[in-house]
Amino acid sequence: MTPVRQRATEVADKLALLRAHLAAAQAGAIRLRGVDWFAWVTAGGSSAVLQTTDGGVAEVLVTPEEACILTDAIEAERLRAEELPDGFTFHIEPWTEPELRERYVQNAAAGRTILSDRPANGEQPLPYALRQRRMVLEPSERERYRLLGREAAEAMSEILRRARPDWTEFQLAGAGAEALWRRGIHPALVLAAGERRLPAWRHPTPTGEPLGARAMLVFCARRHGLYANLTRFVSFAGVNSAPLDEQRALMEIEATGLAAIEPGKSLSAVYHALEAAYKHADREAAIREHHQGGITGYRAREVVTGPTTATLLEEGMAFAFNPSFAGVKIEDTFLLGPDGLENLTFDPGWPAADVHGRKRPLWLEAQASS
């Protein structure tokens, strides 16, 4: 099947799913405002222009008869030419008359309930079953995810191998963002911390401070709406300069959490496995110092794991957990398939240790003068 045909088939399947939920709810329309749902229903299209907002420059309105892109005359032709597969009609309003969109939506719903991912003005939330279903990725989505994960990991490795201790955190983050953009990947989040700030903050937004003896780089990398999340470290003090004992202790904690990811279990079961592992490592308080990650996909975290998170795990879901101590973290993006977890952000050229049969990333040990 050609990529164009594959994408059209994926869209048709998703529209059929949305219409089944419409019928079950006896609603008139489903209105999808967010860039996440837009990417999902269009099989990887993007409505994002301003990269830092949840809402894009277009919406999708689905009724029993129509799947319509709601946008203005500024965006319509670009979206039609570059972002959207067949299967959609368009309602295009002048940018000066946004009220025409609301009138169109109300007429399309014919007085019945409107369901929305971001409900407003009397609209109702999407059914839980539909929100759960979005997190179970189709084969075509998994293929897009594999390519994204591999290229995001390549970008990360490229930059950390080039990095130098006299670089600032801004330089490291900027180089990382450039490496992602060069691969057609949106740098939705790039964190960077050097030696001084690394142990102080779990979310170190970059500054102009030099890196010094060690550094961390974090990506939430988005393409076709999907997120590849990963963290790596570099030490510039040479061989045996990285905190190997801390790394291995954290890898054991992560391994316990990853082993708990099984279809039919709840997401909270993973949290409790991690909690027990932290306690076993005599680091009981660490789980409360930072969230542990959770299900990923069309948001960097679709659902964050917690002690009472009841979301059931299913084959086809993706996960990004990030256990951490002060100054040490581990994170990759995994897909749950029929044979267990597949590491989407694995780079075979990056230094790694075998942890219960799974390759996990070590710190890159570089020479400061190299």
Side-chain angles (χ1 to χ4, degrees):
M1 186 182 297
T2 67
V4 171
R5 181 59 186 161
Q6 184 180 55
R7 198 174 172 200
T9 300
E10 182 182 329
V11 167
D13 291 344
K14 289 175 175 177
L15 292 178
L17 175 66
L18 291 172
R19 288 178 173 130
H21 281 279
L22 261 183
Q26 297 184 323
I30 290 179
R31 185 176 191 175
L32 302 175
R33 290 185 168 92
V35 296
D36 51 343
W37 281 96
F38 187 97
W40 175 80
V41 74
T42 62
S46 176
S47 64
V49 171
L50 182 62
Q51 297 293 331
T52 54
T53 62
D54 282 344
V57 296
E59 306 173 32
V60 182
L61 187 73
V62 179
T63 68
E65 299 81 23
E66 189 178 26
C68 185
I69 303 298
L70 310 176
T71 191
D72 60 34
I74 302 169
E75 307 293 346
E77 288 310 309
R78 179 184 64 82
L79 293 172
R80 195 195 307 267
E82 297 181 349
E83 295 292 348
L84 294 166
D86 293 337
F88 297 94
T89 61
F90 279 74
H91 171 75
I92 305 167
E93 75 272 0
W95 67 266
T96 53
E97 300 179 78
E99 66 277 5
L100 295 180
R101 182 181 303 186
E102 300 308 313
R103 191 180 307 163
Y104 181 88
V105 170
Q106 294 302 320
N107 288 339
R112 291 173 291 171
T113 300
I114 298 171
L115 307 176
S116 179
D117 60 321
R118 286 152 175 87
N121 303 319
E123 298 164 351
Q124 297 299 307
L126 297 177
Y128 173 81
L130 178 57
R131 289 181 278 127
Q132 174 85 3
R133 177 62 185 80
R134 188 184 85 171
M135 295 187 289
V136 180
L137 304 173
E138 295 188 5
S140 50
E141 293 172 296
R142 300 179 200 185
E143 285 306 308
R144 291 195 291 271
Y145 221 155
R146 289 186 178 99
L147 182 58
L148 166 63
R150 182 168 67 249
E151 293 189 357
E154 289 171 357
M156 174 75 79
S157 299
E158 172 195 326
I159 297 310
L160 286 178
R161 291 186 186 280
R162 280 174 39 200
R164 297 294 177 261
D166 59 346
W167 281 18
T168 66
E169 294 169 351
F170 282 146
Q171 285 178 283
L172 181 61
E178 188 274 336
L180 290 173
W181 276 120
R182 187 162 18 97
R183 292 167 169 83
I185 302 170
H186 301 162
L189 175 143
V190 179
L191 300 178
E195 178 183 9
R196 188 189 70 81
R197 297 178 68 244
L198 183 53
W201 317 117
R202 291 301 205 273
H203 288 155
T205 54
T207 72
E209 190 166 317
L211 299 179
R214 57 183 57 178
M216 174 182 74
L217 187 59
V218 180
F219 286 166
C220 292
R222 182 178 69 189
R223 187 168 63 197
H224 303 309
L226 296 165
Y227 281 83
N229 310 288
L230 66 157
T231 299
R232 299 288 187 268
F233 291 79
V234 60
S235 171
F236 298 107
V239 178
N240 299 322
S241 62
L244 188 58
D245 289 345
E246 291 276 276
Q247 289 181 74
R248 291 196 178 278
L250 198 57
M251 288 175 178
E252 289 293 332
I253 290 170
E254 182 203 44
T256 302
L258 295 178
I261 300 174
E262 295 180 5
K265 284 190 174 181
S266 69
L267 190 56
S268 62
V270 183
Y271 176 89
H272 290 299
L274 290 167
E275 183 179 44
Y278 276 108
K279 186 174 182 179
H280 181 75
D282 200 25
R283 304 295 289 265
E284 187 173 1
I287 198 170
R288 295 187 290 275
E289 294 169 359
H290 189 243
H291 77 77
Q292 302 300 299
I295 300 171
T296 186
Y298 286 95
R299 295 176 67 86
R301 297 295 188 271
E302 297 271 19
V303 184
V304 172
T305 184
T308 61
T309 314
T311 305
L312 291 179
L313 308 185
E314 299 183 47
E315 185 180 315
M317 286 182 170
F319 302 88
F321 290 96
N322 47 234
S324 65
F325 303 146
V328 186
K329 188 172 79 148
I330 189 165
E331 179 184 26
D332 275 297
T333 299
F334 293 89
L335 177 68
L336 181 58
D339 299 318
L341 290 174
E342 173 187 356
N343 187 349
L344 300 181
T345 47
F346 176 69
D347 179 355
W350 188 263
D354 188 282
V355 182
H356 302 289
R358 182 178 286 118
K359 295 293 185 182
R360 303 304 299 125
L362 294 166
W363 288 33
L364 178 68
E365 295 180 328
Q367 295 293 336
S369 59
S370 62

